[in-house]
Amino acid sequence: MAISLDFSRSPGHNARERTQGRLLALPALLWLILFFLLPLVIVFVVSLMTRGRAGTVTLPLTLENYERVFTTYLPTFADSILIAVLTTLICLVVGYPLAFFISTRERKWVQQIALFLVILPFWTNFLVRTYAWKVILGPDGVISALAGGGVNLLNTNFAVLVGLVYGFLPFMVLPIYTSIERFDFRLVEAAHDLGANDWRAFWRVVFPLTLPGVAAGCILVFIPAIGAFVTPDLLGGTQGFMIGNLINQQFRGLGHWPRGAAASMVMMALVVLGLMFYAWMNRRRN
Amino acid sequence: MTADYDIELRNVVKEFPTRGSEGALRAVDSISLQIMPGEFFALLGPSGCGKTTTLRMIAGFEEATSGDILLRGKPMQGVPPFHRPVNTVFQDYALFPHMTVLQNVMFGLEMENVSRTEAEKRAKAALELVRLTQFDRRPRQLSGGQQQRVALARALVKRPAVLLLDEPLGALDLKLRKAMQYELMTMQNDLNITFIYVTHDQEEALTMADRIAVMDKGKVLQVGSPEEIYETPATRFVADFIGETNFMEGRLVEKRGDIGMVALKGADCVVEAELGAANPQVGDNVTVAVRPEKITLLRLVDQDDHLHSVPAAEIMAAVERETNKTLVEGVVQFANYIGTDTRYIVRIGGSIDLVVRVQNFGERFDTLFHKGERVNVFWATDTARILVE
Ligand SMILES: Nc1ncnc2c1ncn2[C@@H]1O[C@H](COP(=O)(O)OP(=O)(O)OP(=O)(O)O)[C@@H](O)[C@H]1O
Ligand SMILES: [Mg+2]
């Protein structure tokens, strides 16, 4: 349901009050212009320019950067999308049952402790936790030791996937938990009453009605996953090279700002696409 | 195996574990019921007496702690709700909010793997039956009464052996309630489906049901037709819960066949009433129950102004001829004119106040008494009951 903020039509809002309303919105507006719109425009302009000497940018304007992104670096984008989608799917498959389990605990305090455990990792720095995975997956790590030594899972797409799923699972669990928690389980009884077994009651009633949580969770996982930088950098090495690493490489390693900017713009377009998909799903539901 | 009953409950008990203490809450305490095919059966009782729990055990949402539930002679132990030939109309309807009205009604048929076209046809017919035409609306776009109809259609389309209804009219306003009561009765009659109808509204139960089970604190106190329940309540609770009743405490002083004489407590007054099934002994403390409309007030002969078509002396002579009766003198404490009736409070035996309802026949029949007037209070013995609990 769209909430309309059309003050002009609500009674008692004369011109003076409207001006006051606009004044109140001014700080936020300035903030957005200064820290969002302006940088965006700068990045966009840079993405159309040519690389100068020693990390500078110069004219002429060109589309060559985008061309490179869509040719040379297309595999990186494809890999990143694949990894982000896989991360989202795995988070969903793992997170939904987990959220379901937590939200259906009868005692509130059990739920609270379980949720606390889900967000507990946030209390430690992300970088530190990713290093911990390096230790677990590395040649001298726990997994290697269990397998009798000599197993190195580091610098693979698998390691990146593990790291990303680990890192973003809470973003999937929390919104799904909320929507299951709000779900009226008497509807399941109604479904059972009408002849649906557990499986059909779930797919026809529970899942469709918890889709808002699923959609929110997917978007919350997909967006940071597609832009991930630290995890692929530490766990993926050259194998698990993602868009984030590409952008970093262009800006810092090669000093090629225009190409880095172009890659950034394309990645942003991907995120916007994801958000549009989310909005479309929401619209369809209403 | 007896399949004479659509539903039979044998000593059904349901206990819920109570948190903290080790005891358990007995929501349903050894209930036995036999419900006939095609019957409109009401479960009536105050809030928390276990009506919903009983219904949920029949539907299969709760497992009985002990006892048996039989559906058309088949034990239902361990049979999940989706394999029972019963359907429920939930109190708050429990419609699927993400489906249209039509999809809601079709749901149950799809679960039976009925073909789409067939399901749609039957769903539309069911919706027609409840006189609903907004097939494509979502439940939240409907009024309470319309949602109620969808819930009904959704259950009826399954052609259940038994329909369970949990206070289905509870959320509706009075006028709609009355209309829906009538519709439900007609529908039940036409479709010949057994209804088990939960309500805490005694008037609704009396109006609609073929038989009523009155429940209190998890127990069934009495099962019977509305007339039996009203005219011959088994316990004081039943008499009190259904309709208005005068209760008089006293001691049983004499028994004559199935009639008892009771000396009222704190009053110099003996009244007569029928002995109930409990059959108390002489000397026992008992309660006499008599409905306000069963009591007749008679003008004292010496007060008669002779303006009416039947003189008081003549009426008194007729009353005197009655063998089994209570006839005592009383004083009108209050007279409250309420249109069709006048409601009096009359004191008998110097301290016992009775509510008396007298229909207003008009001047000709001399039914109006004024406050402070001395009157004769009369009731036939078979309209009063002696109760022990
Ligand atoms: N799942 C449950 N867990 C624990 N106690 C319960 C549960 N369900 C019902 N009870 C208890 O069992 C008793 C009977 O409840 P029930 O819902 O059957 O009453 P009811 O007659 O339907 O009342 P109402 O008219 O208020 O709906 C109540 O004391 C209630 O608190
Ligand atoms: Mg109830």
Side-chain angles (χ1 to χ4, degrees):
Chain A
M1 232 172 299
I3 298 165
S4 150
L5 281 180
D6 188 358
F7 289 116
S8 59
R9 270 198 287 166
S10 43
H13 282 270
N14 54 33
R16 216 186 98 242
E17 279 170 354
R18 241 173 303 165
T19 330
Q20 276 180 351
R22 277 182 198 143
L23 277 176
L24 284 172
L26 205 60
L29 202 64
L30 281 177
W31 174 275
L32 277 178
I33 289 172
L34 203 63
F35 294 107
F36 177 72
L37 207 57
L38 201 62
L40 190 67
V41 170
I42 293 173
V43 173
F44 181 63
V45 170
V46 169
S47 76
L48 295 172
M49 291 175 80
T50 312
R51 179 193 185 187
R53 204 167 298 154
T56 57
V57 289
T58 62
L59 290 170
L61 294 178
T62 170
L63 279 175
E64 199 247 332
N65 302 307
Y66 285 97
E67 205 188 308
R68 280 299 285 272
V69 166
F70 283 112
T71 52
T72 320
Y73 300 112
L74 195 63
T76 304
F77 275 85
D79 284 355
S80 295
I81 292 171
L82 186 69
I83 286 181
V85 167
L86 277 177
T87 302
T88 310
L89 283 179
I90 295 171
C91 280
L92 179 60
V93 170
V94 176
Y96 197 104
L98 180 59
F100 194 92
F101 175 82
I102 295 173
S103 55
T104 50
R105 289 313 90 193
E106 210 167 296
R107 284 156 226 260
K108 208 75 204 170
W109 64 268
V110 177
Q111 288 193 18
Q112 268 149 12
I113 287 180
L115 281 181
F116 175 74
L117 290 176
V118 166
I119 52 172
L120 188 65
F122 286 137
W123 288 23
T124 317
N125 184 288
F126 187 62
L127 207 57
V128 174
R129 286 183 284 138
T130 309
Y131 267 109
W133 275 108
K134 223 174 148 94
V135 173
I136 295 171
L137 298 171
D140 304 319
V142 181
I143 292 173
S144 180
L146 283 176
V151 179
N152 186 8
L153 295 170
L154 276 181
N155 304 330
T156 60
N157 276 326
F158 173 75
V160 176
L161 210 52
V162 168
L164 289 177
V165 167
Y166 160 78
F168 302 140
L169 188 63
F171 297 137
M172 184 65 86
V173 173
L174 294 178
I176 295 180
Y177 165 82
T178 312
S179 65
I180 298 176
E181 152 81 348
R182 253 189 270 145
F183 176 77
D184 180 1
F185 274 90
R186 282 172 304 186
L187 294 178
V188 173
E189 286 188 349
H192 281 159
D193 190 71
L194 294 166
N197 55 24
D198 288 337
W199 176 258
R200 294 177 100 174
F202 176 79
W203 286 110
R204 292 293 307 274
V205 178
V206 183
F207 192 72
L209 285 169
T210 50
L211 262 185
V214 170
C218 286
I219 223 68
L220 285 177
V221 171
F222 180 79
I223 289 177
I226 191 103
F229 162 66
V230 171
T231 312
D233 195 50
L234 291 181
L235 304 177
T238 45
Q239 259 263 325
F241 194 75
M242 291 179 69
I243 304 175
N245 310 95
L246 172 69
I247 295 169
N248 176 56
Q249 185 196 51
Q250 294 299 332
F251 274 104
R252 297 219 330 236
L254 306 175
H256 202 316
W257 282 39
R259 207 178 285 156
S264 300
M265 290 309 291
V266 174
M267 194 192 86
M268 229 183 67
L270 285 175
V271 170
V272 170
L273 270 180
L275 284 172
M276 274 164 65
F277 177 71
Y278 176 63
W280 174 75
M281 267 183 48
N282 270 336
R283 178 111 32 89
R284 214 182 51 145
R285 210 173 28 247
N286 289 326
Chain B
M1 287 280 122
T2 46
D4 309 339
Y5 307 123
D6 251 10
I7 290 200
E8 191 180 359
L9 273 66
R10 292 187 188 147
N11 303 313
V12 173
V13 172
K14 178 67 191 181
E15 286 179 346
F16 290 110
T18 41
R19 212 161 284 169
S21 64
E22 61 278 3
L25 178 100
R26 254 190 192 219
V28 172
D29 194 356
S30 195
I31 279 185
S32 296
L33 291 174
Q34 286 105 30
I35 296 162
M36 313 290 173
E39 195 170 25
F40 197 128
F41 192 90
L43 286 176
L44 173 66
S47 187
C49 72
K51 307 180 295 286
T52 298
T53 307
T54 306
L55 210 64
R56 289 172 58 80
M57 284 191 288
I58 298 172
F61 301 133
E62 307 274 6
E63 190 81 44
T65 310
S66 68
D68 296 309
I69 295 172
L70 293 92
L71 247 137
R72 298 207 160 148
K74 272 203 232 78
M76 283 293 116
Q77 172 111 30
V79 178
F82 44 91
H83 287 148
R84 297 190 184 199
V86 299
N87 287 107
T88 308
V89 176
F90 294 87
Q91 174 159 17
D92 38 22
Y93 317 136
L95 299 176
F96 304 125
H98 59 303
M99 299 183 196
T100 64
V101 166
L102 189 64
Q103 285 167 341
N104 262 282
V105 180
M106 281 169 66
F107 184 88
L109 297 174
E110 282 165 33
M111 294 304 118
E112 292 173 19
N113 299 319
V114 174
S115 79
R116 258 202 89 79
T117 43
E118 168 79 6
E120 193 169 323
K121 208 178 84 201
R122 279 171 62 186
K124 283 187 170 156
L127 283 164
E128 229 149 77
L129 186 72
V130 297
R131 298 197 280 111
L132 210 74
T133 47
Q134 294 102 323
F135 296 158
D136 295 325
R137 296 267 191 97
R138 292 288 161 96
R140 63 155 177 251
Q141 299 169 307
L142 300 177
S143 72
Q146 290 169 326
Q147 290 183 26
Q148 159 68 55
R149 285 163 198 274
V150 180
L152 203 58
R154 189 176 69 169
L156 285 174
V157 79
K158 300 274 290 179
R159 297 178 188 153
V162 178
L163 189 67
L164 309 174
L165 303 100
D166 192 355
E167 311 216 8
L169 308 181
L172 307 182
D173 63 48
L174 190 66
K175 205 170 159 204
L176 193 54
R177 236 183 127 106
K178 295 276 177 215
M180 283 302 290
Q181 281 179 6
Y182 176 73
E183 270 186 48
L184 278 175
M185 286 164 69
T186 319
M187 214 175 285
Q188 194 264 345
N189 202 37
D190 293 348
L191 299 172
N192 203 27
I193 293 178
T194 308
F195 273 30
I196 302 185
Y197 191 99
V198 162
T199 179
H200 64 253
D201 181 342
Q202 46 110 359
E203 200 187 319
E204 192 165 282
L206 290 176
T207 311
M208 301 177 81
D210 296 325
R211 282 198 306 150
I212 300 170
V214 182
M215 292 181 66
D216 184 38
K217 300 199 185 89
K219 285 195 163 71
V220 169
L221 301 179
Q222 189 174 6
V223 182
S225 69
E227 195 180 335
E228 283 166 349
I229 299 273
Y230 187 83
E231 300 290 345
T232 56
T235 69
R236 180 172 175 150
F237 179 87
V238 176
D240 199 22
F241 192 72
I242 293 157
E244 198 176 14
T245 309
N246 292 296
F247 293 109
M248 294 165 270
E249 314 273 343
R251 202 164 49 80
L252 188 66
V253 290
E254 194 192 331
K255 292 211 285 191
R256 215 194 307 128
D258 56 358
I259 293 172
M261 254 63 81
V262 177
L264 299 186
K265 198 196 289 174
D268 179 23
C269 187
V270 175
V271 298
E272 266 187 34
E274 275 195 340
L275 288 162
N279 202 15
Q281 297 308 304
V282 170
D284 286 357
N285 286 325
V286 294
T287 303
V288 175
V290 57
R291 303 276 185 197
E293 75 278 10
K294 307 287 191 209
I295 304 176
T296 310
L297 299 183
L298 301 166
R299 184 128 7 236
L300 297 184
V301 175
D302 59 0
Q303 302 277 311
D304 194 11
D305 53 16
H306 307 289
L307 289 177
H308 311 285
S309 30
V310 188
E314 218 167 280
I315 300 173
M316 268 315 283
V319 166
E320 298 277 9
R321 279 196 297 276
E322 288 268 342
T323 40
N324 298 322
K325 64 173 183 295
T326 296
L327 183 62
V328 292
E329 221 178 83
V331 181
V332 175
Q333 305 290 310
F334 285 104
N336 199 352
Y337 181 83
I338 49 172
T340 55
D341 297 359
T342 302
R343 195 166 175 277
Y344 295 99
I345 309 279
V346 178
R347 182 164 295 172
I348 62 166
S351 67
I352 293 159
D353 286 349
L354 299 180
V355 176
V356 181
R357 282 182 92 111
V358 179
Q359 203 174 337
N360 291 324
F361 286 114
E363 282 294 303
R364 243 157 59 80
F365 285 92
D366 190 18
T367 52
L368 289 176
F369 303 88
H370 57 80
K371 188 176 165 180
E373 185 174 347
R374 289 191 305 121
V375 289
N376 275 315
V377 177
F378 159 80
W379 68 79
T381 303
D382 60 3
T383 61
R385 299 272 293 173
I386 292 175
L387 307 171
V388 290
E389 50 174 328

